[in-house]
Amino acid sequence: MSFLDHIRACNAHDLSGFRRFELDGHFVGWVRHELAEALPGVDPGFVVTADRVGIAAEIRDFEARSTLLDHAAAYLVERGTVKALRGEYYPVLPRWGAEPLARLDRAAVAAFGIEAFGLHVNGYVRGDDGLSLWIGRRAGDRDVAPGLLDNMVAGGQPIGLSLAENLEKEAAEEAGLDAATARLAKPVGAISYSLETAVGLKRDRLFVYDLELPAGITPVNTDGEVESFELWPLDRVAASVRGTDDWKFNVNLVVTDFLIRHGWLTAENEPDYLEIACGLRR
Amino acid sequence: MSFLDHIRACNAHDLSGFRRFELDGHFVGWVRHELAEALPGVDPGFVVTADRVGIAAEIRDFEARSTLLDHAAAYLVERGTVKALRGEYYPVLPRWGAEPLARLDRAAVAAFGIEAFGLHVNGYVRGDDGLSLWIGRRAGDRDVAPGLLDNMVAGGQPIGLSLAENLEKEAAEEAGLDAATARLAKPVGAISYSLETAVGLKRDRLFVYDLELPAGITPVNTDGEVESFELWPLDRVAASVRGTDDWKFNVNLVVTDFLIRHGWLTAENEPDYLEIACGLRR
């Protein structure tokens, strides 16, 4: 493994297996050809051509579009592409910050290849020997990445919450931090990747925050997602990300970005530096 | 203007006007078709096909390749594509960190579309009201960007100097900083863009540093490149970058990256946030 290998793993996909998904004249995602061809049989509201999935002209508003997507989501469960719906809805956006065109169950998002937004918080402390990062070890009973290492706080961005609200909620649930501490998180950039999965195309855009924890505050999980937290010096973090598959796939990228921004990974100690810096935001 | 407009301006190019330039089996750059067709007449060591500029098999080592490129550089001056050579040499690299395959006069680098490396240092101070950035106003007699605003320290990366050595040299020349102060500069990432110019394709990769200046140290130019330094609060910096063309073209990108990394520009206050974060490293 190398830093670059993790980036490549998060960007493995072949768009020739997909066709464009459009809503209301906006490109919003990618659908596998095989699913595309099945959709008109699921709901005649889907209008499918050889290179495009669209919807019928009479389906004009947010609720109608969302109902159509609900039918598709139910079909995905029925045929086993998706194990179960999550009951948590993501916005379907032409671009970040725009009005949502529809909502879609989180579990079905990759099947439509829509951009999924999330936030990741690097929790760190500054010591005499440099920085240390708070690492969460995910619980063994999770569906996603059981037992793997994670950021102190991370979560998807559901419809109807602002980033600030979501950060406060996730910081409380995942790390037991109060709102005042959560507000110390500083936005520092974004990570972007597109990964082909069994469900479809996972196009994730992660808003990244750094949170320097005040003395005396340590993260404590409250929702069962994290089994334990550990404080690791950056040398150990870097060696682990570079040399193992112990981390949740996308957390490798968030942590690599942290190592770059804080001067641990440099153009002088890492031959892949430029490819890494550029590859974190494809 | 907008933050994104500056990024687009730095990436305006059309590769269909160029063909690949290869040395020793490695892709290293892009040459305009018209120049490509003239090169075998300049030196028969250039071997040109419809989609590729290469060199003759018997030209095998660094010195021989560099001599060939010297002939091309002299021709570029002769025909007026390049005003004058600089007498400063850049490495021709298959990738950052590799052994140089040749050297090329800095003035001719864009004509061969090779990657040109440089470093930019954001000099800043931390006050009660947040961060302020040291801004250099370039001297009116410069060939490049006269009178425009610049980073505290910036410079191209010539062959034969390490990044640390170049940083120390540029920090002394451009801002009068001693070596101990220069070593406080922290590497924080990279900026990348490809811009078509009258000379050719400018493929710049900038290594970015942040330098928090200790109390009592202010930059003073010693080499005539900068007319004056001013300390601007980030609000003023951001308004100026967003709304004007007062900055050297690529410094807009370095400063925009600073605004992102330090939490001034966020996904909540800037609708183009994701395009900006991803666009800074193409």
Side-chain angles (χ1 to χ4, degrees):
Chain A
M1 297 302 294
S2 71
F3 294 111
L4 207 49
D5 286 337
H6 294 300
I7 294 174
R8 290 191 186 113
C10 284
N11 283 283
H13 67 271
D14 177 0
L15 281 183
S16 72
F18 295 82
R19 63 188 81 173
R20 294 163 63 86
F21 176 41
E22 294 178 7
L23 282 184
D24 199 28
H26 300 280
F27 163 74
V28 293
W30 295 95
V31 179
R32 274 218 175 89
H33 296 307
E34 178 274 330
L35 173 61
E37 276 148 35
L39 285 173
V42 174
D43 190 310
F46 285 105
V47 177
V48 173
T49 66
D51 58 2
R52 176 178 163 278
V53 173
I55 64 173
E58 62 270 24
I59 302 177
R60 285 169 186 279
D61 65 16
F62 176 91
E63 287 301 334
R65 292 184 205 111
S66 301
T67 300
L68 183 70
L69 293 179
D70 282 345
H71 296 165
Y75 167 73
L76 289 166
V77 174
E78 189 184 305
R79 70 176 205 171
T81 306
V82 166
K83 203 160 85 177
L85 297 182
R86 303 274 288 263
E88 183 186 346
Y89 287 91
Y90 273 26
V92 182
L93 301 174
R95 64 196 298 269
W96 171 254
E99 277 299 302
L101 296 168
R103 70 172 166 261
L104 177 60
D105 191 282
R106 180 173 183 171
V109 159
F112 284 88
I114 67 168
E115 286 190 310
F117 304 93
L119 57 85
H120 280 242
V121 182
N122 297 296
Y124 70 101
V125 297
R126 199 178 295 273
D128 294 339
D129 299 337
L131 305 185
S132 294
L133 202 61
W134 278 105
I135 309 301
R137 192 176 294 276
R138 296 173 62 84
D141 63 356
R142 295 293 104 176
D143 280 344
V144 176
L148 295 186
L149 302 175
D150 203 345
N151 284 115
M152 181 178 72
V153 173
Q157 184 62 29
I159 196 165
L161 277 188
S162 71
L163 277 172
E165 289 164 345
N166 195 29
L167 197 156
E168 196 174 309
K169 170 179 158 289
E170 295 285 353
E173 290 173 3
E174 297 201 349
L177 303 177
D178 61 23
T181 305
R183 279 194 290 272
L184 298 176
K186 191 178 74 165
V188 291
I191 300 290
S192 166
Y193 56 86
S194 296
L195 169 64
E196 201 166 331
T197 69
V199 176
L201 189 63
K202 198 167 160 52
R203 294 169 63 223
D204 289 349
R205 283 78 179 104
L206 310 179
F207 298 110
V208 180
Y209 297 77
D210 281 358
L211 201 175
E212 184 172 353
L213 277 180
I217 295 187
T218 59
V220 181
N221 182 253
T222 67
D223 69 354
E225 182 158 326
V226 176
E227 176 189 291
S228 62
F229 282 106
E230 299 169 31
L231 187 62
W232 288 21
L234 285 200
D235 285 356
R236 180 175 175 196
V237 169
S240 175
V241 169
R242 179 193 273 145
T244 77
D245 280 322
D246 293 348
W247 299 68
K248 181 164 172 269
F249 72 108
N250 56 6
V251 177
N252 286 297
L253 276 52
V254 177
V255 172
T256 301
D257 176 63
F258 187 89
L259 294 172
I260 288 181
R261 287 185 297 96
H262 290 277
W264 193 97
L265 204 56
T266 74
E268 297 180 296
N269 67 18
E270 171 53 58
D272 296 332
Y273 187 74
L274 276 175
E275 289 89 338
I276 293 169
C278 299
L280 292 169
R281 297 156 195 91
R282 294 222 185 134
Chain B
M1 298 302 293
S2 71
F3 293 112
L4 207 48
D5 286 336
H6 294 299
I7 293 174
R8 290 190 185 117
C10 283
N11 284 282
H13 66 271
D14 177 1
L15 281 183
S16 72
F18 296 81
R19 65 188 78 173
R20 294 164 63 86
F21 177 40
E22 295 178 7
L23 282 184
D24 199 29
H26 300 281
F27 163 74
V28 292
W30 295 94
V31 178
R32 275 218 174 89
H33 296 308
E34 177 272 331
L35 173 61
E37 275 149 35
L39 285 174
V42 174
D43 190 310
F46 285 105
V47 177
V48 173
T49 65
D51 58 2
R52 174 179 164 278
V53 173
I55 66 173
E58 64 269 24
I59 302 176
R60 286 170 186 278
D61 65 17
F62 176 90
E63 288 301 334
R65 292 184 205 111
S66 300
T67 300
L68 182 71
L69 293 179
D70 283 344
H71 295 165
Y75 167 74
L76 289 166
V77 175
E78 190 184 305
R79 71 175 205 170
T81 305
V82 166
K83 205 160 83 178
L85 298 182
R86 303 273 288 262
E88 183 187 345
Y89 288 90
Y90 273 25
V92 181
L93 302 174
R95 64 195 299 269
W96 172 254
E99 276 300 302
L101 298 168
R103 67 171 169 263
L104 176 59
D105 191 283
R106 180 173 181 172
V109 159
F112 283 88
I114 65 169
E115 286 190 310
F117 303 94
L119 58 84
H120 280 241
V121 182
N122 298 295
Y124 71 100
V125 297
R126 200 178 293 273
D128 294 339
D129 299 337
L131 305 186
S132 294
L133 201 61
W134 278 105
I135 309 301
R137 191 176 295 275
R138 295 172 63 83
D141 64 355
R142 295 292 104 176
D143 280 346
V144 176
L148 296 186
L149 303 175
D150 204 344
N151 285 116
M152 182 177 71
V153 173
Q157 183 63 29
I159 195 165
L161 277 188
S162 72
L163 276 172
E165 290 164 344
N166 194 31
L167 197 155
E168 196 174 310
K169 170 179 159 288
E170 295 285 351
E173 289 173 3
E174 297 201 349
L177 303 176
D178 61 24
T181 306
R183 279 194 289 273
L184 298 175
K186 192 177 75 165
V188 292
I191 300 290
S192 165
Y193 56 86
S194 297
L195 169 63
E196 201 166 331
T197 70
V199 176
L201 190 64
K202 201 170 158 50
R203 294 168 64 223
D204 290 349
R205 284 78 178 102
L206 311 179
F207 299 110
V208 180
Y209 297 77
D210 281 358
L211 201 176
E212 184 172 355
L213 278 180
I217 294 187
T218 59
V220 180
N221 183 251
T222 68
D223 69 354
E225 182 158 326
V226 176
E227 177 190 289
S228 61
F229 282 105
E230 297 168 33
L231 188 62
W232 288 20
L234 285 199
D235 284 357
R236 182 176 173 195
V237 169
S240 176
V241 169
R242 179 193 272 145
T244 77
D245 280 322
D246 293 348
W247 299 68
K248 181 165 174 272
F249 72 108
N250 56 6
V251 176
N252 285 297
L253 276 52
V254 177
V255 171
T256 300
D257 176 64
F258 187 89
L259 294 171
I260 287 181
R261 286 185 295 99
H262 290 277
W264 193 97
L265 203 57
T266 75
E268 297 182 295
N269 68 18
E270 170 55 55
D272 296 331
Y273 187 76
L274 276 175
E275 289 90 339
I276 293 170
C278 298
L280 291 169
R281 297 157 196 91
R282 292 217 188 141

